[in-house]
Amino acid sequence: MIYRPQQGKKFSAHSKWLNTQAKIHAIQLYWYETSGHFETDLKQIKDLIPKYSQLIVLGGDGTLNLAVNAIAGTQVVLSLLPCGTGNDFSRQFGYSTQQWRSTIFAGVARNIDVGQVGNRYFINIAGVGFNAEVVLAMGGKKPFGKLSYTIAGIMKLASYKGTLIEYEDGLQATMMCLFSNGRHFAAGLTPAPDARLDDGVLQVITIPAVAWYKRLWCFALMLFGKHTRLRWVSVRSCQQLKIKTSGLPIEADGDLIATTPAVVKCKAALLQFKVLN
């Protein structure tokens, strides 16, 4: 069991349920509380992994990202009980709390893809431009819960003008470029409504540096996954994409993980994830 030290009502309910189930199934649970230092936690979890066949995350996208980096490519099965701030990855399944709990002992392991930037994996969405600048501005703080993303985004939307990014096929004035394995981000927006977890590719969504009213309209439509109909929004699928520009922060699963230049890849079927039968 991997969890962050901040414990809310959902975490308490999940942990109580797990302890009860452990007694029923006559199994012993090992609880790992993260320190907040990614490399330290990653090393310690990797050292523990050979002893276990299943890893359960009680948390959101950031804790899930840590778990993915610890077990991707191994035989360890990943399970999730969402109780984080945004819980964006879990949204695409549409499961209730009881259904998520049902995956722990009665679910099936499904092979899913993960993304990769350098030596770092991500399970949901990575990107450069606007979303990375929002995460950078937040500095890891979420004083308003899941509304923190919305508030920080609105504040940044007014001032961010975009940046010139050099891709493999040339330069483009870009507001945001997303590499999507999952469908949702920023606590409920749907930037990649057609992304799939098992198709072997990432859906790349590129929004150019358009006028402010077009940006606002684009993000409004993104609430419903309808922005991809806008003629200036580019949607394509690829297994790999290179960004040549230097010094741009890269955000993935809600945290800053690298800077450009970088190659973003899809690693097909690298993870076993528990879902409903």
Side-chain angles (χ1 to χ4, degrees):
M1 264 43 63
I2 298 179
Y3 67 99
R4 285 185 174 177
Q6 297 88 349
Q7 301 175 12
K9 292 182 179 180
K10 284 187 178 181
F11 171 85
S12 297
H14 282 321
S15 59
K16 182 178 180 180
W17 176 82
L18 276 170
N19 284 322
T20 299
Q21 292 299 309
K23 293 179 182 179
I24 294 173
H25 292 273
I27 59 175
Q28 185 174 359
L29 304 178
Y30 180 87
W31 295 83
Y32 180 88
E33 182 178 283
T34 62
S35 67
H37 190 278
F38 182 85
E39 294 299 336
T40 299
D41 289 329
L42 182 63
K43 182 181 184 305
Q44 292 182 355
I45 294 170
K46 281 187 172 182
D47 289 342
L48 291 168
I49 287 306
K51 304 176 183 178
Y52 302 94
S53 59
Q54 184 173 357
L55 186 154
I56 303 173
V57 170
L58 286 85
D61 299 313
T63 310
L64 188 61
N65 180 278
L66 173 64
V68 168
N69 277 273
I71 68 171
T74 73
Q75 296 302 308
V76 177
V77 176
L78 178 64
S79 297
L80 174 64
L81 292 175
C83 53
T85 303
N87 298 317
D88 284 308
F89 177 78
S90 67
R91 291 174 188 271
Q92 63 200 303
F93 294 92
Y95 292 170
S96 65
T97 296
Q98 185 54 51
Q99 286 175 316
W100 278 114
R101 290 179 179 178
S102 296
T103 66
I104 304 300
F105 297 104
V108 296
R110 171 184 171 188
N111 291 325
I112 66 171
D113 308 333
V114 299
Q116 184 179 21
V117 180
N119 61 357
R120 182 82 178 257
Y121 296 114
F122 63 93
I123 192 171
N124 192 41
I125 294 178
V128 294
F130 178 77
N131 62 311
E133 293 296 330
V134 170
V135 172
L136 182 63
M138 291 174 66
K141 299 178 181 179
K142 303 169 186 175
F144 306 105
K146 66 179 182 180
L147 286 177
S148 299
Y149 296 106
T150 303
I151 294 171
I154 291 173
M155 294 177 65
K156 182 62 67 172
L157 188 63
S159 61
Y160 186 68
K161 304 302 182 183
T163 186
L164 194 63
I165 298 179
E166 184 179 5
Y167 304 95
E168 291 176 303
D169 55 356
L171 288 167
Q172 182 179 356
T174 304
M175 181 180 181
M176 180 167 64
C177 183
L178 300 176
F179 309 95
S180 305
N181 190 42
R183 297 174 186 170
H184 307 283
F185 84 153
L189 294 178
T190 307
D194 298 320
R196 293 176 53 190
L197 297 171
D198 59 358
D199 58 0
V201 294
L202 298 173
Q203 191 172 87
V204 181
I205 313 293
T206 307
I207 301 173
V210 292
W212 69 269
Y213 61 90
K214 289 186 176 181
R215 298 199 302 265
L216 188 61
W217 180 234
C218 185
F219 275 84
L221 290 177
M222 200 180 291
L223 285 167
F224 312 100
K226 304 297 185 182
H227 62 294
T228 55
R229 299 178 182 179
L230 297 172
R231 60 180 177 80
W232 63 81
V233 175
S234 168
V235 182
R236 54 178 166 156
S237 296
C238 66
Q239 293 180 322
Q240 179 175 307
L241 191 143
K242 183 177 183 180
I243 295 178
K244 298 181 178 181
T245 305
S246 298
L248 299 176
I250 301 175
E251 176 268 335
D253 298 342
D255 292 315
L256 297 176
I257 66 165
T259 56
T260 59
V263 176
V264 185
K265 302 177 182 179
C266 179
K267 307 295 287 186
L270 197 66
L271 187 70
Q272 296 183 75
F273 185 74
K274 289 291 279 298
V275 297
L276 292 175
N277 285 309

